[in-house]
Amino acid sequence: MIQTVLVDVSGVLYQGAEVVPGAVEALARLRSSGRQVRCLTNSTRQPKHRIMAKLHNLGFAIRPEEVFTPVAAVLDWLVRTGHSPHLLVHPELEEEFSGCDRSGPLAVIVGDAAEEFSYESMNRAYRLLQKGAPLIALAKNRVFMDKDGQLSLDAGCFVKALEHATGARARLFGKPDSEFFRAAIASTRASPAQSAMIGDDAESDIAGALAAGAAEAYLVRTGKFREGDETRFAPEPTATVDDICEAVAYLTSSVSLKAEPPT
Amino acid sequence: MIQTVLVDVSGVLYQGAEVVPGAVEALARLRSSGRQVRCLTNSTRQPKHRIMAKLHNLGFAIRPEEVFTPVAAVLDWLVRTGHSPHLLVHPELEEEFSGCDRSGPLAVIVGDAAEEFSYESMNRAYRLLQKGAPLIALAKNRVFMDKDGQLSLDAGCFVKALEHATGARARLFGKPDSEFFRAAIASTRASPAQSAMIGDDAESDIAGALAAGAAEAYLVRTGKFREGDETRFAPEPTATVDDICEAVAYLTSSVSLKAEPPT
């Protein structure tokens, strides 16, 4: 029995500036069925308070403690290890790091920096990595559904470029890092085996959640979904559904999807 | 018996604006020993006539037909396949493509674009790749020795980012593509087994030449060389030497390096 449902935000609850039709009601239905909801987002173009404001403006009743972003985990890591951040992130995200100590050895933190990704900023990061700074990825997503309805490059491609230059591997704090999923699940006191994921990214959301032990993972055809995604990464989704509404219908029905997968 | 010697340019003949001490004389010595010389460069920040001018200004007697760049091979491919170029290259290199037909389906050509690598230019390239444009790499070098004496990001990292975004693999026309080495060797009528390479890039120059069938490959400690490079990629260099002068000394001596490697 699924007790906790993890939901990706961009591409699942909204697309660009528009709410996914029926998503507000679907989320309410999940809650009234007694299940807990946690939102997991790798979006790192905005600080969390801006994400919360957008969700509220679109009509979603979600509390800050139900929303997990990679930034909190990275801030915790910085304090624990005594590192100071060298940021290659979106300018809007910089405020989240404003409280950081600036006297420690530098760690290179890469998020979805968008227009801040330039040859100069990438090369500056590379040279710090060359000198031994650790490489921290807020996300490794390859692409995302942009405001103009087309796919655009996401942080993962630029993380990959830096990994390729240095031969080092970035430490990842967002999806599909298992720790990220487990921290969100643990906050609900459910176990991974009592949890399901709903997402539009077959790699970061779906394969990531299943690898972290989630019992089920629903790939939605909204957001960045493209035909063929359902078999592109392993483990594959429990089911591929039209949108969050159909995923919630499965989750709140008495039918066990795992026993009788839809054809 | 080595009849043809392939020589990388940047980092071997010169470093930044300075000639590598003794390199002019070493190249002359190679020629007077009866061996043919071919220069293979993945440098794609300048058109070939600028590379030639720099070599001449530094005192190297090298003819244009002895210098191989990836651009000529790509121009040939564009004509053969009927593609038109979408350029993600250094502005100085664009003139080399000025004669291209502009009416064909686009192919994305990536060189060392330097400051032209921006989020916008990368994303534009990605979206063309998404629509089916082939990805052509003038080089896949990870880093190069920059004018300020530090390593900087080279085209390969940005090619990798685009490969990562699309799941496609770039077609490479520069080193370490075997065809590139073989075309240069063929122009001297020697066989790969009668050829040797001198380079500062253990991956593109050394492993590349040996994989293409060259009998020997000398890794120099000038240019981008860093301790540990000699064992970082397979196949490993025949020998690691201080500079081109030492490489030429081995090549023109009667000692067989393959039988008695230096300790």
Side-chain angles (χ1 to χ4, degrees):
Chain A
M1 161 68 178
I2 300 299
Q3 292 178 13
T4 292
V5 180
L6 310 175
V7 181
D8 179 34
V9 175
S10 176
V12 175
L13 298 180
Y14 56 73
Q15 302 187 91
E18 306 288 327
V19 68
V20 169
V24 171
E25 299 75 14
L27 211 65
R29 211 152 52 241
L30 259 188
R31 291 193 195 276
S32 61
S33 76
R35 294 175 174 85
Q36 293 199 73
V37 173
R38 292 293 182 270
C39 294
L40 278 71
T41 177
N42 276 8
S43 301
T44 55
R45 285 198 179 184
Q46 296 183 321
K48 184 169 167 177
H49 70 85
R50 292 281 298 274
I51 298 171
M52 296 309 306
K54 181 167 186 179
L55 287 169
H56 288 162
N57 289 341
L58 292 173
F60 292 100
I62 298 173
R63 295 189 308 277
E65 61 270 27
E66 293 174 321
V67 175
F68 284 72
T69 75
V71 175
V74 169
L75 289 171
D76 188 54
W77 179 88
L78 287 168
V79 169
R80 233 170 42 238
T81 64
H83 281 89
S84 292
H86 172 85
L87 298 174
L88 183 47
V89 303
H90 197 282
E92 292 221 28
L93 200 70
E94 290 182 7
E95 68 180 71
E96 301 242 40
F97 295 87
S98 59
C100 289
D101 173 60
R102 297 287 163 180
S103 62
L106 292 174
V108 174
I109 317 282
V110 185
D112 177 14
E115 278 69 28
E116 291 299 302
F117 283 124
S118 66
Y119 184 77
E120 206 219 324
S121 68
M122 287 285 286
N123 206 40
R124 207 178 316 130
Y126 163 67
R127 288 183 167 188
L128 288 171
L129 299 172
Q130 268 288 100
K131 289 179 189 147
L135 176 58
I136 304 296
L138 293 172
K140 284 192 176 181
N141 301 60
R142 296 165 199 249
V143 295
F144 72 101
M145 169 61 73
D146 213 337
K147 280 175 280 189
D148 63 2
Q150 294 189 62
L151 297 181
S152 283
L153 294 175
D154 207 336
C157 301
F158 297 91
V159 170
K160 195 74 181 178
L162 292 172
E163 288 182 336
H164 190 62
T166 56
R169 211 172 148 71
R171 179 165 178 163
L172 172 71
F173 280 86
K175 297 176 284 185
D177 177 44
S178 286
E179 285 311 306
F180 188 61
F181 289 102
R182 287 184 192 140
I185 294 168
S187 74
T188 68
R189 306 205 179 174
S191 70
Q194 296 166 318
S195 305
M197 175 82 204
I198 304 173
D200 67 336
D201 189 316
E203 185 178 25
S204 281
D205 293 334
I206 303 305
L210 293 172
E216 302 175 2
Y218 296 84
L219 180 63
V220 294
R221 292 196 185 88
T222 52
K224 76 179 77 167
F225 175 84
R226 290 290 178 274
E227 284 307 325
D229 282 355
E230 54 272 52
T231 56
R232 198 158 285 152
F233 303 100
E236 291 180 13
T238 310
T240 303
V241 296
D242 283 346
D243 52 22
I244 186 173
C245 306
E246 193 181 353
V248 168
Y250 279 122
L251 282 162
T252 55
S253 74
S254 56
V255 178
S256 166
L257 256 185
K258 298 220 83 174
E260 297 180 61
T263 53
Chain B
M1 161 71 179
I2 299 299
Q3 293 177 12
T4 293
V5 180
L6 309 174
V7 181
D8 179 35
V9 174
S10 177
V12 175
L13 298 181
Y14 56 72
Q15 300 187 92
E18 306 288 328
V19 67
V20 168
V24 171
E25 298 74 16
L27 211 64
R29 211 154 48 240
L30 259 188
R31 290 193 196 275
S32 61
S33 76
R35 294 175 175 86
Q36 293 200 71
V37 173
R38 290 293 181 272
C39 293
L40 278 72
T41 176
N42 275 8
S43 301
T44 55
R45 286 198 178 185
Q46 297 184 322
K48 184 169 166 178
H49 70 83
R50 292 282 299 273
I51 297 171
M52 296 309 307
K54 180 167 185 179
L55 286 169
H56 287 163
N57 289 340
L58 292 174
F60 293 100
I62 298 173
R63 295 189 309 276
E65 61 271 26
E66 294 175 320
V67 175
F68 285 72
T69 74
V71 175
V74 169
L75 289 171
D76 189 54
W77 179 87
L78 288 169
V79 170
R80 233 168 44 236
T81 64
H83 281 90
S84 292
H86 173 85
L87 298 174
L88 183 47
V89 302
H90 197 280
E92 293 220 30
L93 200 69
E94 290 182 8
E95 67 178 73
E96 302 242 38
F97 294 87
S98 59
C100 288
D101 174 60
R102 297 286 162 180
S103 62
L106 293 174
V108 174
I109 318 282
V110 185
D112 178 14
E115 279 68 28
E116 291 298 301
F117 283 123
S118 66
Y119 183 76
E120 205 219 327
S121 67
M122 287 285 286
N123 205 41
R124 206 177 317 130
Y126 163 68
R127 288 182 168 189
L128 288 172
L129 299 173
Q130 268 289 100
K131 290 178 188 147
L135 176 59
I136 305 296
L138 293 173
K140 283 192 174 178
N141 301 61
R142 297 165 198 249
V143 295
F144 71 101
M145 167 62 71
D146 212 337
K147 281 174 281 190
D148 64 1
Q150 293 189 62
L151 297 181
S152 283
L153 294 175
D154 207 336
C157 301
F158 297 90
V159 170
K160 195 74 179 179
L162 292 171
E163 288 183 335
H164 190 64
T166 56
R169 209 170 151 72
R171 179 167 176 162
L172 172 70
F173 279 86
K175 296 176 285 184
D177 177 44
S178 287
E179 285 310 306
F180 189 61
F181 289 103
R182 287 184 192 139
I185 294 167
S187 75
T188 68
R189 307 200 177 178
S191 71
Q194 296 166 317
S195 304
M197 175 81 202
I198 304 172
D200 67 337
D201 188 316
E203 185 178 26
S204 282
D205 294 333
I206 304 305
L210 293 172
E216 303 176 0
Y218 296 84
L219 179 62
V220 294
R221 292 197 184 88
T222 53
K224 76 180 76 168
F225 175 83
R226 291 289 180 272
E227 284 308 322
D229 282 357
E230 54 271 50
T231 56
R232 198 160 283 151
F233 303 100
E236 292 180 12
T238 310
T240 303
V241 295
D242 282 347
D243 52 24
I244 185 174
C245 306
E246 193 180 353
V248 168
Y250 279 122
L251 282 162
T252 56
S253 75
S254 57
V255 179
S256 167
L257 255 184
K258 300 216 83 170
E260 295 179 63
T263 51

